[in-house]
Amino acid sequence: MIIDTHVHVWKIDPPKYPVGPTAPGWNSYPDEPGTADELLAEMDMHEVDWAVLVQTSWSTWDNGYIADSVARFPNRFIGQGLIDPQDPENAELVRYWIKERGLVGFRFHPMYYPDEKILLTQQNTAMWEEIAAIDAIIQFHLRAEFADQVATIARQYPDLKLILDHMGYPQVNTDQSSFQPIVDLAEFDNIYLKLSDVAGRSHQDFPYVDVHPFIEKLLSAFGSERTVWGTGYPGHHREKHNWPTLDQELRLIREGLPFLTDMDKENILGTTAMKIWNLSGQ
């Protein structure tokens, strides 16, 4: 079982599928769609069984395209949307996207709000209570300086499954001690690690050896049984956006990290994700 837990797909088809910002100051937009159909063809070519569709930061707060894609291919896709942490009606929107549109969870970007602890504002208490009540799966796009917010959520809602995207953005040109808040989140049994965007963290070519010490440290803390694998974009968009190909992403786990055991590889490529999202084989 191979499960890619982080792929962005999008359509440019307003008003049905609008394009627009979901972060303060966002001004980068695509010039062509990256469709679920292109992703599915690529998955079939590389024998990837499932993909978690993650709403892009340029597709507005309307998660309609990924919800429709999950509805079209319910045995191949899982949907993780975005919820505006500044929307006073966000608890109701959590219910809508999960109960009525079939998503299973959401992604939050605390790093887009550096001047406030956006996840912990009083306004968002009702949102977190609703998320906990329906057992949504939550992903966090963050750096180490935002780890305290995630720790608070993990402590308050110990039954929620929480995932740290892109390894929490380790910086290879800094002392590892500054990254320790991410590693320390491993103390919470409900927090998982996403091994993704390794190439983006590296200053070297494949297999990105300068990032390996961080990966080893994270795996020592979280274990592969709490680690999943994710990539980025569908099909030709990977190279267009300077991300590795899907073949390279798979080869990194299978061959590029010599400290991984065979069991580690199985966990990271699929077994852990199967448990998080309660998936089955085809």
Side-chain angles (χ1 to χ4, degrees):
M1 175 69 70
I2 301 177
I3 303 168
D4 187 341
T5 67
H6 195 101
V7 188
H8 299 299
V9 294
W10 64 95
K11 205 77 176 284
I12 305 175
D13 186 18
K16 185 177 182 180
Y17 301 125
V19 174
T22 60
W26 188 276
N27 58 10
S28 177
Y29 300 102
D31 57 6
E32 62 175 330
T35 66
D37 298 87
E38 182 176 4
L39 172 61
L40 190 60
E42 183 183 43
M43 290 167 61
D44 288 343
M45 183 182 304
H46 293 275
E47 300 182 333
V48 175
D49 299 281
W50 289 88
V52 178
L53 307 182
V54 180
Q55 175 81 339
T56 76
S57 294
W58 61 72
S59 297
T60 78
W61 301 108
D62 185 332
N63 303 296
Y65 182 63
I66 63 170
D68 287 348
S69 298
V70 169
R72 288 178 62 206
F73 304 104
N75 296 316
R76 303 300 298 278
F77 294 147
I78 308 106
Q80 297 270 164
L82 296 182
I83 289 289
D84 186 352
Q86 295 180 319
D87 188 336
E89 306 299 325
N90 52 24
E92 181 179 337
L93 289 167
V94 166
R95 287 190 294 273
Y96 169 74
W97 287 111
I98 291 185
K99 297 288 189 179
E100 298 187 35
R101 299 302 304 276
L103 301 187
V104 299
F106 305 98
R107 187 191 200 202
F108 290 100
H109 304 268
M111 58 194 287
Y112 290 169
Y113 306 88
D115 298 326
E116 64 176 322
K117 294 186 183 297
I118 190 65
L119 300 179
L120 307 181
T121 60
Q122 184 176 2
Q123 172 191 296
N124 284 326
T125 299
M127 179 192 73
W128 285 112
E129 290 296 324
E130 187 63 32
I131 285 171
I134 58 182
D135 200 26
I137 298 165
I138 302 300
Q139 303 177 196
F140 296 105
H141 185 208
L142 80 164
R143 294 188 298 264
E145 57 264 39
F146 305 97
D148 62 313
Q149 296 182 57
V150 176
T152 298
I153 298 299
R155 190 176 295 111
Q156 291 179 345
Y157 303 99
D159 294 326
L160 276 182
K161 295 171 183 174
L162 311 174
I163 305 168
L164 310 177
D165 286 353
H166 302 331
M167 305 177 292
Y169 282 119
Q171 303 295 316
V172 299
N173 56 349
T174 62
D175 190 282
Q176 284 200 28
S177 62
S178 64
F179 187 65
Q180 192 61 37
I182 295 292
V183 179
D184 289 344
L185 290 174
E187 72 175 274
F188 299 99
D189 292 340
N190 59 328
I191 295 184
Y192 297 79
L193 174 73
K194 186 180 293 179
L195 183 54
S196 58
D197 195 21
V198 178
R201 303 303 95 224
S202 179
H203 298 298
Q204 300 179 3
D205 294 332
F206 182 94
Y208 323 118
V209 174
D210 54 343
V211 187
H212 289 194
F214 290 93
I215 298 175
E216 288 189 88
K217 188 171 186 176
L218 287 164
L219 285 174
S220 178
F222 285 89
S224 63
E225 67 277 6
R226 281 200 284 152
T227 302
V228 298
W229 167 77
T231 63
Y233 295 98
H236 78 281
H237 295 277
R238 299 182 189 274
E239 293 181 273
K240 178 178 179 177
H241 291 272
N242 201 33
W243 284 53
T245 65
L246 183 53
D247 180 68
Q248 290 172 321
E249 296 276 22
L250 285 163
R251 191 158 59 92
L252 176 65
I253 306 301
R254 290 168 170 164
E255 305 172 13
L257 304 175
F259 44 86
L260 295 183
T261 67
D262 288 343
M263 181 61 71
D264 290 335
K265 296 172 187 178
E266 289 183 15
N267 286 339
I268 293 167
L269 284 177
T271 302
T272 301
M274 286 179 66
K275 296 174 182 176
I276 293 174
W277 281 279
N278 193 28
L279 301 176
S280 60
Q282 301 301 303

